[in-house]
């Protein structure tokens, strides 16, 4: 089985190709260009390097969020279009869980994206088990958990600086130098397991998981509340 995994949920884009159990290609790009500029060339380059065409792909794995609203829409639109051409099965994967799966750390992994205003998108994973599912909340929401666990805690993702600045004094919080993991690789690994357990879905079933309103919607809501 050939799986093409993609991610546009954060500031970087990533692509991965998995052939059966083996990861045969990964690429991560974080530049001043936008996802709309670099994402399709990344996919095209991955297919050409591996000698594949879209017809050779047996399963698409795409991150559905949480994360960048624009990035998620771009990633989903591209995969929906590619999958529809050949009726290729798809699996949507949590971007946070894919981020956690893309690294190898011994302890509790807390993947985090910076959601601005001291908020984070995050989840908590202990030994591959989801302890706290995907959420969007103030960075302080995980304080009690960190206080009460005796295991090593690792933050990964573009929100890790905020988290380390907040919880750096806790002895169980450990630093790491992981900057740009291939989230698409984690998406491939999770999608393969999901496919083996429950099968796949179609491109019609793919939808984003934003977890909160967009900035425009939040600002409109605040204005409406002020008028009341």
């Amino acid at each position: 089985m050939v799986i093409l995994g993609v991610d546009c949920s954060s500031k970087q884009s990533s692509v991965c190709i998995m052939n059966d159990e083996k990861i045969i290609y990964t690429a991560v790009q974080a530049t001043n260009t936008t996802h709309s500029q670099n994402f399709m060339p990344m996919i095209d380059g991955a297919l050409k390097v591996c000698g594949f065409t879209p017809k050779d792909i047996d399963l698409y794995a795409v991150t559905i969020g949480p994360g960048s609203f624009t990035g998620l829409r771009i990633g989903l639109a591209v995969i929906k279009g590619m999958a529809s051409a050949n009726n290729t099965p798809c699996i949507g994967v949590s971007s946070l869980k894919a981020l956690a799966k893309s690294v190898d750390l011994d302890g509790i992994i807390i993947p985090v994206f910076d959601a601005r205003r001291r908020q984070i998108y995050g989840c908590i994973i202990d030994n591959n088990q989801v302890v706290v599912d995907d959420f969007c909340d103030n960075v302080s929401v995980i304080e009690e958990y960190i206080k009460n666990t005796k295991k090593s805690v690792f933050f990964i993702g573009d929100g890790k600086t905020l988290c380390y600045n907040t919880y750096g004094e806790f002895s169980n919080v450990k630093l790491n130098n992981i900057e740009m993991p291939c989230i698409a690789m984690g998406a491939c690994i999770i999608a393969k397991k999901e496919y083996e357990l429950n099968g796949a879905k179609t491109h019609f079933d793919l939808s984003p998981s934003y977890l909160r309103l967009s900035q425009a919607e939040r600002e409109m809501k605040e204005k409406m509340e002020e008028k009341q």
Side-chain angles (χ1 to χ4, degrees):
M1 169 177 278
V2 178
I3 304 174
L4 173 64
V6 301
D7 170 70
C8 289
S9 60
S10 63
K11 296 177 182 178
Q12 65 194 43
S13 305
S14 64
V15 175
C16 175
I17 295 180
M18 186 176 188
N19 193 355
D20 294 328
E21 300 290 337
K22 188 176 181 181
I23 301 294
I24 62 172
Y25 181 93
T26 61
V28 179
Q29 186 169 353
T31 67
N32 292 327
T33 59
T34 64
H35 293 302
S36 60
Q37 293 173 298
N38 63 39
F39 190 49
M40 281 303 297
M42 285 181 70
I43 294 176
D44 184 57
L47 292 172
K48 287 180 178 178
V49 168
C50 296
F52 293 138
T53 70
K55 291 183 178 180
D56 298 312
I57 304 302
D58 299 305
L59 177 68
Y60 287 106
V62 56
T63 53
I64 60 172
S68 162
F69 281 41
T70 302
L72 293 173
R73 286 194 287 265
I74 291 171
L76 283 166
V78 168
I79 293 306
K80 280 174 174 281
M82 294 181 69
S84 65
N86 299 297
N87 292 317
T88 307
C90 304
I91 289 181
V93 178
S94 157
S95 52
L96 292 167
K97 297 181 181 71
L99 172 57
K101 201 68 175 179
S102 68
V103 299
D104 183 15
L105 293 168
D106 186 16
I108 293 171
I109 299 174
I110 304 183
V112 283
F113 293 139
D114 190 346
R116 309 288 177 86
R117 299 183 178 183
R118 289 191 59 78
Q119 289 192 326
I120 55 171
Y121 297 112
C123 68
I124 301 177
I125 298 177
D126 183 358
N127 193 29
N128 290 319
Q129 298 298 314
V130 178
V131 178
V132 177
D133 210 349
D134 295 2
F135 66 86
C136 179
D137 209 330
N138 190 278
V139 66
S140 63
V141 75
I142 56 178
E143 182 173 351
E144 285 302 313
Y145 182 86
I146 295 173
K147 279 183 178 179
N148 294 328
T149 184
K150 296 181 180 179
K151 295 184 178 181
S152 297
V153 174
F154 298 93
F155 296 106
I156 54 171
D158 64 25
K160 76 174 186 177
T161 298
L162 172 61
C163 291
Y164 280 124
N165 288 341
T166 305
Y167 300 110
E169 78 266 13
F170 290 92
S171 60
N172 60 330
V173 172
K174 309 298 181 182
L175 295 173
N176 68 82
N177 58 1
I178 299 172
E179 295 297 334
M180 293 173 58
C182 183
I183 300 177
M185 180 178 71
C188 282
I189 295 170
I190 293 173
K192 184 177 187 300
K193 184 176 182 180
E194 175 66 19
Y195 181 81
E196 292 170 346
L197 291 175
N198 302 310
K201 298 181 179 180
T202 72
H203 59 280
F204 293 110
D205 300 305
L206 293 175
S207 60
S209 174
Y210 294 133
L211 293 190
R212 71 173 185 178
L213 299 175
S214 68
Q215 181 177 346
E217 291 172 316
R218 292 197 306 273
E219 291 176 352
M220 177 62 72
K221 183 179 179 181
E222 289 172 359
K223 290 179 180 178
M224 294 297 292
E225 290 175 348
E226 288 175 358
K227 292 180 180 180
Q228 293 179 355

